[in-house]
């Protein structure tokens, strides 16, 4: 079964609004990452947060991690139409060759 | 340009006709992996390799084979494709960071249809 589950499955907002996506996972992790996928294309890495970190920022992205709740959230501030994509969380266990992905959140940003 | 290259990008085939999807990376990455993506099921790992001649099963290995004879190549083999293998396939590569993170670089995807 999938390690991560994203919530919501789909999100539609207006340009300029903030978008928040959540990810829950089941087992202990080493790192958690967020990826973006434009329709039908390969995934692109956005940001990584280590298990001993609680929050991380990168441009308009803010990621939080709560290991006690086994959850993470991705916040995109001041969204743009170009942010329209699917977003996936991925967890790395101690065996770093294996990353497990969630089902993704599809974000639509309306101009 | 650093990249992961998959071929073919699109393929329609028939049940039982063996096919190979090639994957090559030019970043000298140790790790390579294959995923399939299906609607409502997210990305599921098929096989991964942590180095030459080292491969391991992912979550959905049935019906697939892989080999890692060279560091840069990691082909995915479907010996006898079936319609339930119709999917979008992604190859990815990475090198572990000092903290053990596995930041993946993905190929553009191969859309396979098995009739």
């Amino acid at each position: 079964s999938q390690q991560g589950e994203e919530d919501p499955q789909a999100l539609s907002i207006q340009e300029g609004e903030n978008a928040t996506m959540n990810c829950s996972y089941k087992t202990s992790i080493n790192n958690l990452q967020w990826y973006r996928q434009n329709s039908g294309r390969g995934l692109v890495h956005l940001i990584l947060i280590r298990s001993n970190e609680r929050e991380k920022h990168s441009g308009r992205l803010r990621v939080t991690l709560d290991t006690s709740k086994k959850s993470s959230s991705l916040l995109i501030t001041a969204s743009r139409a170009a942010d329209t994509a699917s977003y996936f969380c991925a967890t790395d266990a101690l065996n770093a060759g294996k990353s497990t992905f969630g089902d993704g959140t599809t974000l639509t940003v309306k101009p | 340009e650093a990249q992961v290259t998959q071929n073919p990008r699109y393929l329609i085939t028939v049940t039982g006709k063996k096919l190979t999807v090639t994957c090559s990376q030019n970043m000298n990455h140790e790790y390579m992996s294959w995923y399939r993506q299906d609607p409502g099921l997210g990305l599921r790992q098929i096989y991964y390799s942590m180095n030459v001649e080292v491969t391991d099963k992912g979550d959905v290995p049935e019906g697939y084979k892989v080999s890692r004879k060279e560091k840069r190549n990691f082909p995915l083999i479907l010996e006898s494709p079936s319609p339930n293998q119709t999917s979008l396939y992604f190859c990815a590569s990475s090198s572990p960071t000092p903290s053990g993170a596995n930041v993946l670089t993905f190929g553009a995807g191969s859309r396979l249809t098995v009739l």
Side-chain angles (χ1 to χ4, degrees):
Chain A
S1 63
Q2 287 293 91
Q3 163 79 312
E5 295 182 2
E6 277 93 342
D7 168 55
Q9 288 189 337
L11 180 61
S12 181
I13 59 175
Q14 293 294 134
E15 211 166 26
E17 294 179 338
N18 295 342
T20 299
M21 290 158 267
N22 303 296
C23 167
S24 60
Y25 57 92
K26 298 174 183 173
T27 61
S28 296
I29 62 170
N30 205 22
N31 303 282
L32 186 142
Q33 304 176 57
W34 285 89
Y35 289 80
R36 166 195 168 124
Q37 182 184 33
N38 287 77
S39 181
R41 299 193 176 185
L43 282 73
V44 175
H45 182 258
L46 292 176
I47 193 167
L48 175 149
I49 186 165
R50 297 188 181 91
S51 58
N52 61 354
E53 296 176 315
R54 292 297 166 259
E55 188 171 313
K56 201 158 184 184
H57 296 254
S58 176
R60 294 185 295 113
L61 305 180
R62 173 177 168 253
V63 171
T64 62
L65 179 64
D66 186 337
T67 53
S68 66
K69 295 181 180 178
K70 291 187 169 58
S71 67
S72 173
S73 67
L74 171 68
L75 168 67
I76 304 174
T77 60
S79 63
R80 305 165 182 168
D83 294 328
T84 295
S86 292
Y87 294 82
F88 294 85
C89 68
T91 53
D92 298 340
L94 291 179
N95 179 354
K98 183 172 172 59
S99 291
T100 304
F101 285 79
D103 296 336
T105 292
T106 299
L107 172 66
T108 302
V109 182
K110 300 174 185 175
Chain B
E1 181 188 352
Q3 60 185 357
V4 176
T5 303
Q6 299 178 223
N7 281 295
R9 294 287 318 281
Y10 302 92
L11 179 64
I12 301 174
T13 189
V14 295
T15 298
K17 186 176 181 181
K18 179 180 179 180
L19 67 93
T20 299
V21 186
T22 63
C23 175
S24 179
Q25 51 96 2
N26 62 0
M27 295 164 283
N28 202 37
H29 283 168
E30 287 84 4
Y31 298 167
M32 297 186 75
S33 53
W34 277 102
Y35 291 84
R36 61 177 289 174
Q37 185 176 28
D38 303 287
L41 294 176
L43 275 87
R44 295 178 291 169
Q45 191 179 56
I46 303 170
Y47 270 95
Y48 64 99
S49 168
M50 296 178 76
N51 216 324
V52 176
E53 303 292 359
V54 179
T55 63
D56 211 342
K57 296 178 181 179
D59 298 315
V60 288
E62 296 79 18
Y64 305 95
K65 285 176 59 177
V66 293
S67 67
R68 187 96 182 271
K69 293 184 171 57
E70 305 165 282
K71 195 172 187 179
R72 63 182 291 128
N73 295 322
F74 190 45
L76 178 70
I77 303 156
L78 286 73
E79 293 271 2
S80 182
S82 62
N84 65 11
Q85 292 178 297
T86 293
S87 187
L88 179 58
Y89 291 87
F90 289 102
C91 180
S93 71
S94 63
S95 275
T97 68
S99 68
N102 191 32
V103 177
L104 298 168
T105 300
F106 279 84
S110 296
R111 187 168 292 281
L112 171 65
T113 301
V114 183
L115 302 176

